[in-house]
């Protein structure tokens, strides 16, 4: 399920992105900076990493009142609407953790669907479900900021975090070199996951719907001295 920002949230998001990219000490919108911008757009309290230790849990931003949790991602990607994009969702070393996950020893010669089952258990059971319980999240979502290469065009994407079961996905190696494992939906054959055993990275593919929120900006970078004066005025 996809979600839309309301008018006020859109205005706050655009304003925050523009102003943040105007600060010469900030070179991009990613990681904590995107989490901060998103929190501002949603009107949520931000956990300051200089005051509190940042959690390494899945949900970067949590609304304790509604129990909505967002895994916040920002990615540079060619913007095409409608379209799709892929991004890393987890580092999954299923060869090393096979026994802990309840599987026999695994390697590249194992049945691809057995590897896929281990990946889904590593991702869904060991990460999504456990972190949601720990963080008090009942409505699991992903919020993605898609950025053009020149950082002037953006797409905001928010959707439910899909909890696939092992029975939903068919797995196969992309070629004989076994450098990449692909997971496709049994229902329609569409690509959902890629896993690269060398880097241990699990990627998920997301669709960009036609009604996604798109905005364009041309931020004016302040001088360093002006930025310091503005940021610390009257402090």
């Amino acid at each position: 399920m996809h979600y839309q920002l309301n008018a006020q949230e859109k205005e706050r998001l655009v304003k925050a992105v523009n102003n943040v990219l105007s600060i010469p000490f900030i070179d991009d919108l990613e990681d904590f900076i995107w989490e901060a911008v998103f929190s501002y757009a949603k009107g949520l309290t931000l956990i300051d990493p200089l005051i509190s230790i940042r959690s390494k849990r899945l949900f970067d931003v949590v609304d304790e009142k509604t129990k909505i949790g967002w895994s916040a991602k920002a990615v540079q990607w060619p913007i095409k609407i409608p379209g799709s994009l892929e991004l890393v969702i987890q580092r999954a070393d299923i060869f090393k953790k096979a026994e802990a996950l309840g599987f026999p020893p695994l390697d590249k010669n194992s049945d691809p669907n057995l590897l896929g089952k281990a990946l889904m258990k590593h991702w869904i059971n060991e990460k999504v479900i456990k972190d949601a319980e720990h963080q008090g999240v009942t409505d699991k979502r992903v919020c993605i900021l898609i950025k053009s290469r020149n950082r002037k065009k953006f797409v905001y994407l928010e959707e439910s975090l899909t909890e696939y079961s092992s029975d939903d996905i068919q797995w196969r190696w992309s070629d004989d070199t076994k450098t990449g494992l692909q997971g496709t939906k049994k229902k329609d054959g569409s690509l959902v996951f890629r896993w690269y055993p060398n880097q241990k990275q699990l990627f998920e593919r997301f669709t960009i719907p036609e009604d996604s929120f798109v905005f364009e900006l041309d931020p004016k970078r302040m001088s360093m001295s002006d930025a310091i004066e503005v940021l610390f005025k009257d402090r």
Side-chain angles (χ1 to χ4, degrees), residues 88-111:
V88 178
I89 56 172
Q90 189 186 37
R91 188 178 188 278
D93 189 349
I94 58 170
F95 293 163
K96 182 178 179 180
K97 297 181 179 179
E99 184 178 348
L101 291 169
F103 290 86
L106 299 172
D107 58 31
K108 289 184 179 181
N109 295 317
S110 301
D111 180 346

Side-chain angles (χ1 to χ4, degrees), residues 74-196:
V75 60
Q76 177 184 310
W77 194 267
I79 294 176
K80 182 180 178 181
I81 301 175
S84 62
L85 76 151
E86 294 181 20
L87 50 80
V88 178
I89 56 172
Q90 189 186 37
R91 188 178 188 278
D93 189 349
I94 58 170
F95 293 163
K96 182 178 179 180
K97 297 181 179 179
E99 184 178 348
L101 291 169
F103 290 86
L106 299 172
D107 58 31
K108 289 184 179 181
N109 295 317
S110 301
D111 180 346
N113 282 299
L114 187 62
L115 297 177
K117 287 182 179 180
L119 284 168
M120 288 297 91
K121 186 170 183 181
H122 193 292
W123 168 237
I124 300 297
N125 297 78
E126 299 300 315
K127 190 62 178 174
V128 176
I129 294 176
K130 286 187 176 181
D131 281 10
E133 291 176 350
H134 186 274
Q135 294 180 273
V137 171
T138 57
D139 187 344
K140 312 175 192 74
R141 301 187 190 182
V142 180
C143 63
I144 304 170
L145 183 70
I146 307 168
K147 308 170 291 187
S148 65
R149 186 174 182 179
N150 64 3
R151 303 300 189 263
K152 291 187 177 183
K153 188 172 184 178
F154 303 87
V155 180
Y156 173 77
L157 176 64
E158 180 180 345
E159 64 175 61
S160 299
L161 193 157
T162 305
E163 298 177 64
Y164 293 99
S165 73
S166 298
D167 295 332
D168 295 329
I169 309 294
Q170 180 76 31
W171 297 85
R172 65 177 177 83
W173 291 106
S174 55
D175 54 43
D176 292 339
T177 64
K178 296 185 178 180
T179 54
L181 189 68
Q182 296 185 159
T184 57
K185 290 182 185 178
K186 290 182 179 180
K187 182 178 179 181
D188 59 14
S190 59
L191 181 66
V192 183
F193 296 106
R194 294 185 198 270
W195 179 68
Y196 298 94

